Amino acid sequence: METTAHDHALTTNQKWTIASTSAGFALENMDVLFLSFALSSIIAELHISGAQAGLISSITNLGMLAGGILFGVIADRFGRVKTFSHTVFIFAIATALMYFASNIYLIYGCRFLAGVGAGGEYGVGITLIAENFKHKNIGKMTSIAAIGGQIGAILAAICASVIIPTLGWRALFLFGLIPVVLTYFIRRHLHESDEFIAAKNAVKDPRKRVRISALFKTPQLAYQSVALMVMVIVQIAGYFGLMNWLPSIMQQKLGLSVSGSSLWMIATIVGMSIGMMTFGSILDYFGPRRAFGIFLLCSAVSVFGITLTFNEITLLFAGAILGFFSNGMFGGYGAVISRLYPTEVRSTANNVIVNVGRAIGGFSSVVIGFLMDRYSLIVVMGFLAVLYVISFITMLTIPSLHKLGQVNEG
């Protein structure tokens, strides 16, 4: 009877883990895309330059890096659930404060604070999943949570199209208060995993600090951490480059309207979501080397599909296929990092590795803009293809990924 009750409690906690992390990632992605949709209105109202506007996303990424480091360490020392709810609350309040931002410097402050919350949320949420599900299911579960982010992107597009023309860009950011409700349910229903509690009880000195240096304490571990950072940098660079620039490219190449390019974005997001589920299943069954190998090489090839489009139908197919491979991998990084690093530094590892990737990879839109001004679309796509090949080669040099594949086969 006790075993049955325990199993039921575990199942309930698993459901709340997936529900809360998926919702958190969806609301985080909504917040990021709110800025994209509102940017032209912000520029017009506050009379800021393009450079000042471009700095907003860079400051957000720096906030993500700071929050990732800070809350990763806090979660490893004090607990995942409380930390996760705090990060959600911070980015919710910071997003809503955009309503009152009357100049560019207040916007910078709000976006940095929102980045701190969002950056901390990712790694802690992924760690919650890793510690509440069996290893053989982590790839699929992290992919489901990542799909939540894509649903958030679609919701952001819908909200922006309705709210900005009627109530203005400021009202859009008041939707950031929705996650405050989520924090209540997280604290009420979500509990620490048995794995984390056991690891915490095993620590002889509870005052012992979790240090980022733990990710680099041996040459092999240092190489593994840096190599994973390189892979995440490529992942983020591809995503930001494609989502920020390709709608504009398509408007010029095919003469599409804004609504036509929005349809392309939706097709791409649908492709991404299907790709995430497919990648997660391949990762769980065949291991990370095969999963990443297939998707990285296919990403390097599929980017050129955009250059072959000649009407809206071919564009939708090219966008969906590209989204399937290029962003299908995203949930896999958290799954792999969670299995490669021990419980006591798992949140720190997830947050540091992924948010370094975000901070550096986010500048890809600047590089692609530079290339677009000087070279053809083939060159731009070639740049992205080379990045995916570099990530593929880097992946092959990480011995621990091969060992994870052997464990899966066993």
Side-chain angles (χ1 to χ4, degrees), residues 266-324:
I266 291 174
T268 304
I269 290 172
V270 170
M272 288 177 179
S273 299
I274 298 172
M276 287 175 178
M277 286 303 300
T278 305
F279 181 88
S281 297
I282 295 174
L283 176 65
D284 287 336
Y285 282 103
F286 299 106
R289 292 189 86 179
R290 290 182 185 177
F292 279 109
I294 293 169
F295 273 66
L296 285 169
L297 292 178
C298 288
S299 294
V301 174
S302 62
V303 291
F304 292 104
I306 296 295
T307 66
L308 304 176
T309 57
F310 54 86
N311 58 32
E312 290 192 32
I313 300 298
T314 56
L315 175 61
L316 292 177
F317 275 109
I321 292 171
L322 179 55
F324 180 94

Side-chain angles (χ1 to χ4, degrees), residues 25 53 74 175 213 237 245 306 325 385:
F25 293 169
I74 289 175
F175 276 77
S213 59
W245 280 111
I306 296 295
F325 288 112

Side-chain angles (χ1 to χ4, degrees), residues 195-210:
E195 182 178 345
F196 174 76
I197 293 172
K200 190 173 178 64
N201 291 337
V203 176
K204 295 179 180 179
D205 183 1
R207 296 170 297 177
K208 185 178 179 181
R209 293 184 178 182
V210 177

Side-chain angles (χ1 to χ4, degrees), residues 306-362:
I306 296 295
T307 66
L308 304 176
T309 57
F310 54 86
N311 58 32
E312 290 192 32
I313 300 298
T314 56
L315 175 61
L316 292 177
F317 275 109
I321 292 171
L322 179 55
F324 180 94
F325 288 112
S326 66
N327 213 46
M329 298 173 280
F330 184 71
Y333 293 97
V336 166
I337 293 167
S338 295
R339 291 183 62 182
L340 291 179
Y341 294 86
T343 307
E344 57 268 22
V345 294
R346 188 170 289 145
S347 284
T348 301
N350 266 303
N351 271 348
V352 170
I353 291 170
V354 171
N355 285 299
V356 166
R358 278 174 167 171
I360 299 175

